[in-house]
């Protein structure tokens, strides 16, 4: 499974930081990290709220553009080891200079330089992401950061965080701002929120992709709509199982959604938190649902077509997938 060329569309940069990387950085800076790690050195998380707390505590040791550049290199090396040839990563100006545009430009330049250094092995694009539980007002300067740095590398805008805070419509200004700057749009929904969260995100934020979206399965009319409107789901099954959205792999709706004609893709979300990699996701999908190389190629073609990249890059990705 490692050898299959893969396209990953849903990956949080800080969420992909290996625990050893964060521990090392904390030691360098003399920062204590109580409660972040389990005794055996993994990230601790009891439930989603605790996951977000641990995530933000761990992210707190990333404090400079150079820290984020080192992280970018580390994350891309790990992705490439699992056959990922193209990834899109969520980048949060909230964690990179607190939403200040000039600080964000410095962080972004450092991350982009790190990504440029890996381009022969793996290509990266950035999706600037606001954090829902920081509230709609905080989302506005983040959208401005996105709009002002839109280009070859920053190609999308999205939203992560706790889905139970506010309503998607509260964030419409941020998404309108990003859309007007030419950015492509995605948002987390249908992970913790039910089908209404997916519907409201499509209606109010006018996104073309949904992060997770799996709970759409609870509403057959919505499943039909997703298929009819070619909405792409960035599905992260291992994340859903680790966080308890579904008890076990056999309960996960990814195959039912795919069979209903919904465009599904596969990603890891925050891989070290969920003890996963792209290889592991593919192995579990193969074991649980019998997915074979043809299915994986088809899913990667969906991802290539849905990627927030220019057409020349897309054509090159599709060619690379066809070659296998
Ligand atoms: N931020 C990082 N991982 C996330 C997830 N799985 N859901 C929402 N926000 C996140
Ligand atoms: Zn996510």
């Amino acid at each position: 499974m490692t050898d299959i060329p893969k396209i990953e569309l849903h990956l949080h940069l800080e969420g992909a930081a290996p625990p050893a990387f964060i521990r090392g950085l904390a030691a360098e800076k003399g920062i204590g990290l109580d409660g972040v790690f389990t005794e055996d050195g993994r990230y601790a998380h009891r439930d989603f709220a605790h996951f977000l707390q641990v995530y933000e505590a761990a992210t707190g040791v990333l404090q400079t553009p150079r820290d984020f550049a080192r992280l970018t290199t580390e994350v891309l090396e790990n992705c490439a080891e699992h056959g990922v040839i193209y990834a899109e990563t969520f980048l949060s100006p909230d964690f990179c200079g607190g939403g200040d545009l000039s600080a964000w430009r410095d962080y972004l330049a450092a991350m982009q330089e790190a990504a440029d250094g890996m381009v022969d092995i793996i290509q990266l694009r950035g999706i600037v992401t606001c954090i829902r539980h920081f509230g709609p007002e905080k989302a506005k300067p983040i959208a401005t950061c996105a709009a002002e740095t839109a280009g070859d590398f920053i190609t999308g805008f999205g939203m992560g965080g706790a889905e139970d805070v506010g309503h998607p419509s509260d964030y419409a200004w941020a998404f309108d701002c990003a859309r007007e700057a030419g950015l492509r749009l995605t948002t987390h929904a249908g992970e913790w929120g039910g089908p209404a969260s997916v519907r409201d995100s499509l209606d109010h934020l006018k996104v073309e992709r949904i992060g997770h979206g799996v709970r759409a399965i609870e509403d057959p009319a919505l499943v039909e709509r997703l298929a009819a409107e070619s909405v792409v789901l960035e599905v992260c099954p291992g994340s859903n199982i680790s966080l308890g959205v579904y008890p076990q792999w056999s309960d996960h709706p990814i195959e039912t959604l795919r069979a209903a004609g919904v465009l599904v893709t596969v990603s890891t979300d925050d891989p070290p938190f969920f003890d996963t990699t792209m290889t592991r996701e593919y192995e579990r999908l193969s074991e649980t649902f019998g997915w074979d190389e043809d299915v994986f190629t088809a899913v990667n073609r969906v991802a290539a077509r849905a990627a927030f990249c220019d057409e020349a890059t897309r054509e090159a990705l599709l060619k690379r997938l066809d070659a296998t």
Side-chain angles (χ1 to χ4, degrees):
M1 294 292 174
T2 306
D3 296 341
I4 299 177
K6 303 173 183 73
I7 293 177
E8 178 161 30
L9 301 181
H10 188 117
L11 180 69
H12 299 260
L13 186 69
E14 316 87 25
F21 178 89
I22 293 295
R23 252 194 314 276
L25 211 51
E28 279 176 32
K29 293 170 190 277
I31 300 172
L33 279 177
D34 288 345
V36 166
F37 302 110
T38 59
E39 270 178 20
D40 60 358
R42 298 164 191 224
Y43 288 116
H45 62 86
R46 287 186 299 274
D47 51 31
F48 186 61
H50 185 229
F51 160 78
L52 287 178
Q53 265 176 31
V54 168
Y55 186 102
E56 284 165 29
T59 298
V61 308
L62 296 158
Q63 295 173 337
T64 65
R66 185 173 135 72
D67 294 342
F68 275 87
R70 285 166 69 186
L71 175 61
T72 302
T73 303
E74 173 96 12
V75 169
L76 287 178
E77 282 170 358
N78 291 338
C79 286
E81 259 180 43
H82 291 279
V84 177
I85 57 170
Y86 173 94
E88 290 178 4
T89 189
F90 297 123
L91 303 174
S92 303
D94 280 295
F95 301 137
C96 298
D100 175 78
L101 176 58
S102 133
W104 164 243
R105 286 189 195 281
D106 292 343
Y107 281 83
L108 176 59
M111 292 185 281
Q112 196 170 349
E113 191 184 332
D116 285 348
M118 301 280 293
V119 79
D120 290 338
I121 306 165
I122 178 170
Q123 295 207 59
L124 185 70
R125 298 291 182 276
I127 299 175
V128 170
T129 306
C130 64
I131 296 170
R132 185 154 164 180
H133 54 272
F134 292 175
E137 286 310 309
K138 283 256 193 169
K140 291 178 181 174
I142 304 307
T144 303
C145 285
E148 292 294 329
T149 55
D152 292 342
F153 182 69
I154 295 298
T155 55
F157 180 74
M159 176 162 67
E163 260 188 74
D164 59 352
V165 174
H167 185 271
S169 60
D170 299 337
Y171 300 86
W173 187 94
F175 281 77
D176 288 346
C177 169
R179 187 183 313 101
E180 282 164 23
L183 290 163
R184 315 274 301 267
L185 304 178
T186 178
T187 187
H188 284 60
E191 178 190 22
W192 301 101
S197 74
V198 175
R199 214 179 295 112
D200 290 342
S201 297
L202 294 173
D203 292 341
H204 293 283
L205 305 181
K206 301 176 179 66
V207 292
E208 58 184 287
R209 297 189 339 214
I210 297 276
H212 300 284
V214 284
R215 291 196 52 204
I217 198 67
E218 295 162 31
D219 179 346
L222 178 59
V223 172
E224 259 181 51
R225 175 179 175 185
L226 295 178
E229 295 181 7
S230 301
V231 175
V232 172
L233 302 187
E234 305 153 7
V235 184
C236 310
S239 159
N240 296 154
I241 283 133
S242 179
L243 285 172
V245 181
Y246 297 102
Q248 53 196 0
W249 275 82
S250 54
D251 298 315
H252 197 279
I254 188 168
E255 172 55 18
T256 312
L257 287 162
R258 194 180 76 90
V262 177
L263 297 173
V264 300
T265 62
V266 175
S267 296
T268 57
D269 208 5
D270 310 285
F273 282 84
F274 309 136
D275 212 8
T276 194
T277 62
M278 282 294 268
T279 302
R280 218 162 285 167
E281 296 290 317
Y282 280 39
E283 285 169 354
R284 297 286 174 279
L285 288 163
S286 168
E287 286 161 18
T288 313
F289 303 114
W291 284 21
D292 58 15
E293 286 219 15
D294 288 347
V295 177
F296 288 121
T297 302
V299 164
N300 278 305
R301 288 183 62 86
V302 167
R305 283 192 220 101
F308 293 168
C309 64
D310 58 87
E311 294 314 308
T313 304
R314 192 184 324 286
E315 283 313 310
L317 291 175
L318 285 165
K319 227 182 206 169
R320 180 102 182 258
L321 296 175
D322 281 345
T324 50

